[in-house]
Amino acid sequence: MFRQSIRSKLTLFLVVATALPILLSALVVYSLTKENVKRSAIEDNASLLYQGQTNIVNYLDAVNKLSLQVYDESVYGDTLIDIMLTGSDELGSGIDRGDVMGALRRTYYSMDGIHQVFLHIDKSSNSYLYYAGKPYGPMRQDQLPEYRKWEAQAFAGVTHRAGSYRLRPEDEERSTDVFTFNRIVYDIPRNEKIGLLAIDVRIDFLRSLVQRLAAEGEQVYIVNSQGRLIVGPPERLGERPELAGLDEVLAAKKESGYSVQEDGSNTFLFYEKVQSSLADWTLIKRVDTDTLYRRERQILLLNAGVGVLSLIVVIVATAFISLKFTRPIRKLIRGMQQVESGALPLELETNRTDEFGVLSRRFEGMVRRLNDSILKQYRLEIMNKTNQLRALEAQVNPHFLNNALQSIATLALKKGDREVYGLISSLGRMMHYNMHVGDAFVPLNREIEYVQDYLGLQRHRFRGSFRFSLEVEPETKNIQVPRMILQPLAENYFKHAGETFENEGILRIRTFIRKNEPEAEVKTEEDATETENSSSARIISTEDEDWPAAAAQRSSVRRELIVIVADNGPGIEPELRRELQEMLDRPLVFGQNTEPAQIGLRSVGDRLRLYFGDSAAVFLSRSLEGGLQVTLRIPLFGYEEIGE
């Protein structure tokens, strides 16, 4: 149905022609937008991380400068460096503790985010702590050897939970995450380590900075060179995070960049290394592609919604256009189908001004001319058949009248008998019958009466040497048959018999109705001989294979009238009979095949075929009496069967 329907093809073409560019445009826009978003994300995140690492460096520099105050001179008393060089403590000088705690207090309040400040003096082994506005110490602590192994003078350590340095009670809260900025104090001229200043800085500042660098659904980490977390998930601080591609980022030689990790859902890792001698940190931002392209997907969904809406509009418009285009075509096709079935076409849209209107008007004009031509041809055919029938009858009647008058004249010369009156009466009835040439069909009974008068004349002609018999079944008497179909067959017998018969002449005419079976078999001459005197449903015999069995079998009528005219004359040779049968089976072409020798047979066969089509036929065979047998098969349908 789809291949044969121009409406379906037009609809599909318009939908594809409009929907495909929309879909391709959406895909191209999405691809370009995705690439632009990726490039923009790389640039934006690089800029953000660079700004973030700059802020971290500035913050570390500030803490570093704060730690250098240990070398500054004090306007309030001895400086810390002096105290650390002399090794004084509270036991040796009462004012030393106040100077140390004052310096630690000033450091504690110098910057936001400082959690506590710790100082250890090697010479006195005393440790000091300033926490939450309270001083702790001094306390002698000899177990601080680890810092003496450090090579860097100042550096920031990993994030951890704030400790007590064993100077304040252990039961106080230790839930604050800090990183410790360590400053080793040197005796500068001698380049000897004389103490340690440790500043615990809360990572709230770094965490707030990280949060400003990340949007919803993004994660930012700060890790050291070993990959241990400085800022990140609280439960993983100080440990390595489960971050795919971390080692690749730490091993990168570039100060900034990104990597793409394919871990089920593609992930971008943007990184920026903190460019400071105080901390070997790396700022990492993790962005999923779903998060990266979220806005673009929203735009794509919006475009898809607009595209679907446009597609619906296109489909509706396409259906409307295809209907408008194909409706007149379908109407024209229905009109053609009606013309093909023999009816006039329905009213077409001839008021249109486009090509369909022109086509409809041309089609109507063609149908009109075709109808006129068909009617004209039909009338000509009827007239032609009428003329053929009249010509055939005109060819038959002169032969009959000539022979009849010769018979009467011969008999009148020989005898002055009263029987002449009977002969003339028979002749009158025959002439009266012939005068009604307008009657194309007559009851079979009238045709029998006519041929009976004719045979009566011939019996007087051949007195004592000719007899005839009529076997007419009652149910066949009122069947309508064409005029003059029996007399030409009987006339042929006398035409070939001559003036006298060597033996007694016999002519037999028989009529009956036979049911035609679909697979009727044609019997041989021996079968016909055995069934000649049986029932009226007798099947006509043949002498040899020239009997037209195919014609008998191709008949599809339900019943047929069988008329048999048989004689005991000399008959016809098989070869000649075959030629005559072929002549009778040939289609009628007026003006041809009208040789005088076969005018009677030919006229009967042509008229039967004209009236009844190919179902009617004339068959020649050898009769049981040894002469010629002519069998007429006339199908019974329509007005030919009105006599039943």
Side-chain angles (χ1 to χ4, degrees), residues 523-532 541-543 622:
K523 297 187 177 182
T524 62
E525 179 182 355
E526 290 76 7
D527 297 330
T529 304
E530 294 177 359
T531 58
E532 170 61 25
S541 63
T542 180
E543 181 181 19
R622 189 170 67 87

Side-chain angles (χ1 to χ4, degrees), residues 365-381:
M366 181 190 69
V367 171
R368 197 179 302 110
R369 291 190 297 271
L370 181 61
N371 286 334
D372 293 342
S373 177
I374 291 174
L375 291 175
K376 182 179 178 180
Q377 185 66 27
Y378 182 68
R379 294 191 186 98
L380 289 175
E381 185 176 355

